[in-house]
Amino acid sequence: MGKSVMLTYALWVVGGPFGLHHLYLGRDNHALLWMLTLGGFGFGWIREFLRIPAYVREANQDSVEDRRRPTNLPPLHPVRFIGQACVGIYFGTVAMIGLNSLSFFYLIVLPISVAVGVHLVSNVGQQTSDLQKTLTACLVTSSLLYGSAFAPLPISLAATVTAAQHRRFKPPRSPRSTQTLAPRLFRLTLALVAFSAPLGFCIFHNTTATLYYLSDCIAALLDFFWFVPWLRHMLESILLMPYRILCAVTGGGYYEETWRKVLEILLREYTEREKDALRVLSLHTDASLEEINQGYRKLVKIWHPDHNPSTEAEDVFLKIQQAYELLQRWHRPRHSK
């Protein structure tokens, strides 16, 4: 039985960001991509309003026994190319958040994660690519960028170019090979679990580290535009927009304070704990790294147990040491003035 355009549109409206209409059409790779990215970060789902009739035609043609596909090279579509790069970066970033503590992360885990993201987009629709060559490009590029926080970007670009060079049409599917819904859902569930398990573990058991990694990424992105002050200011305004809207709607309160604490971390502003550390060192909130070092050395001379025989010297010195180490972690080289 052929697929219905009207039913496909209905599923697109009801569960489009989760790929429900693609699941109906037998486009499992597309459905999985939508589940993992919430409809291509929202943009892909909206764009599909005009693409659904073509998807239905492809699904109905695949149900014909003598269906043939071209043997020539598929056209290079910019949307697919951009999608491969974005999803590769997305998969790589998720891996860095959840699995970067592994000793072999940059040599194995990160390149595999990016390659899977790029190859998933390559397999959407009637096209596919050479996974082995895509993975090889990721492995080579990742080894050259070992330890870099920006590694997912060049790795994904290298994989995207490689996948585009080796793109081809999928062989036609035989109606007899069409599987029932149960095994298809089982495979999709396994893929979802494999993608979300590391990230879920990191969020629930290492929330602070997750937020600080995100803050590092955002701060690095903002610092990249230091030479264009107006663009940096615009990006900061966009990040602060939810907080300002919340203030305007609620007029303040508990939720505003909670959101503000999250923004303090994401925008690399001082948190309450870091403000306490500044007070321990008798410093103001805009103290530079040099001033922090000077304040620390000055207090160490006063409170070091070897120089101060008082009973409280050891406790005070410990607080000074902890405050200094906390501020040192915050003041990365890119924050130095």
Side-chain angles (χ1 to χ4, degrees):
M1 183 180 295
K3 304 299 182 180
S4 167
V5 174
M6 294 302 297
L7 181 55
T8 304
Y9 269 112
L11 295 173
W12 173 83
V13 173
V14 173
F18 301 100
L20 193 58
H21 55 302
H22 290 304
L23 194 61
Y24 165 70
L25 295 175
R27 300 167 62 91
D28 290 355
N29 291 323
H30 211 159
L32 176 61
L33 177 63
W34 258 216
M35 292 176 190
L36 297 178
T37 63
L38 289 180
F41 312 107
F43 298 104
W45 173 63
I46 296 173
R47 174 179 174 268
E48 284 184 330
F49 179 78
L50 300 176
R51 295 283 303 159
I52 284 179
Y55 293 157
V56 174
R57 284 196 301 271
E58 289 179 6
N60 290 332
Q61 288 174 345
D62 281 338
S63 65
V64 179
E65 185 72 42
D66 60 350
R67 166 70 176 147
R68 295 291 182 268
R69 292 215 175 122
T71 57
N72 58 322
L73 194 68
L76 179 61
H77 201 287
V79 175
R80 184 184 294 266
F81 188 88
I82 295 172
Q84 288 171 328
C86 292
V87 174
I89 295 171
Y90 171 56
F91 274 47
T93 303
V94 170
M96 293 191 78
I97 293 173
L99 300 171
N100 65 343
S101 60
L102 298 176
S103 58
F104 49 87
F105 173 76
Y106 283 96
L107 294 178
I108 299 177
V109 178
L110 180 60
I112 290 178
S113 300
V114 175
V116 169
V118 173
H119 192 67
L120 178 59
V121 181
S122 301
N123 273 273
V124 167
Q126 297 179 337
Q127 293 188 28
T128 187
S129 186
D130 192 320
L131 176 59
Q132 183 177 354
K133 290 183 171 59
T134 301
L135 179 58
T136 301
C138 291
L139 290 170
V140 172
T141 310
S142 182
S143 64
L144 298 176
L145 299 165
Y146 188 90
S148 173
F150 293 100
L153 174 59
I155 295 174
S156 181
L157 291 176
T160 299
V161 172
T162 303
Q165 291 175 340
H166 298 88
R167 66 192 186 277
R168 64 179 184 272
F169 284 108
K170 295 177 182 176
R173 292 186 303 177
S174 171
R176 299 189 184 93
S177 66
T178 303
Q179 293 183 339
T180 58
L181 184 61
R184 293 168 55 203
L185 290 177
F186 178 73
R187 288 202 306 270
L188 288 174
T189 302
L190 289 180
L192 289 171
V193 170
F195 179 86
S196 59
L199 184 60
F201 175 83
C202 185
I203 290 175
F204 287 106
H205 295 279
N206 201 13
T207 304
T208 302
T210 302
L211 289 176
Y212 270 98
Y213 173 74
L214 290 174
S215 71
D216 284 345
C217 293
I218 294 175
L221 176 63
L222 293 176
D223 286 345
F224 181 75
F225 296 104
W226 65 268
F227 56 91
V228 189
W230 65 268
L231 182 57
R232 179 190 173 95
H233 178 72
M234 182 181 69
L235 291 174
E236 290 178 343
S237 299
I238 292 173
L239 292 173
L240 284 168
M241 189 176 298
Y243 164 70
R244 290 169 178 164
I245 293 175
L246 186 63
C247 291
V249 173
T250 64
Y254 170 77
Y255 294 106
E256 174 189 342
E257 183 62 23
T258 302
W259 182 251
R260 180 62 189 176
K261 287 180 179 178
V262 174
L263 286 174
E264 284 177 346
I265 296 175
L266 293 180
L267 297 181
R268 300 299 291 163
E269 297 178 1
Y270 281 123
T271 63
E272 290 300 325
R273 185 181 173 195
E274 289 156 349
K275 291 176 182 177
D276 290 339
L278 288 169
R279 283 191 286 268
V280 170
L281 299 181
S282 301
L283 297 171
H284 48 81
T285 55
D286 59 345
S288 66
L289 180 60
E290 183 178 355
E291 290 172 332
I292 292 173
N293 292 332
Q294 291 175 352
Y296 168 73
R297 287 193 291 266
K298 180 179 178 181
L299 291 175
V300 165
K301 291 178 182 178
I302 299 173
W303 292 102
H304 197 284
D306 293 342
H307 305 146
N308 193 323
S310 64
T311 56
E312 62 177 354
E314 185 174 352
D315 292 337
V316 175
F317 177 75
L318 182 60
K319 290 181 180 179
I320 293 171
Q321 190 70 25
Q322 291 174 344
Y324 178 68
E325 291 176 356
L326 179 63
L327 294 174
Q328 281 286 315
R329 288 196 299 268
W330 191 91
H331 271 276
R332 303 288 174 85
R334 64 173 182 272
H335 292 292
S336 303
K337 295 180 181 180

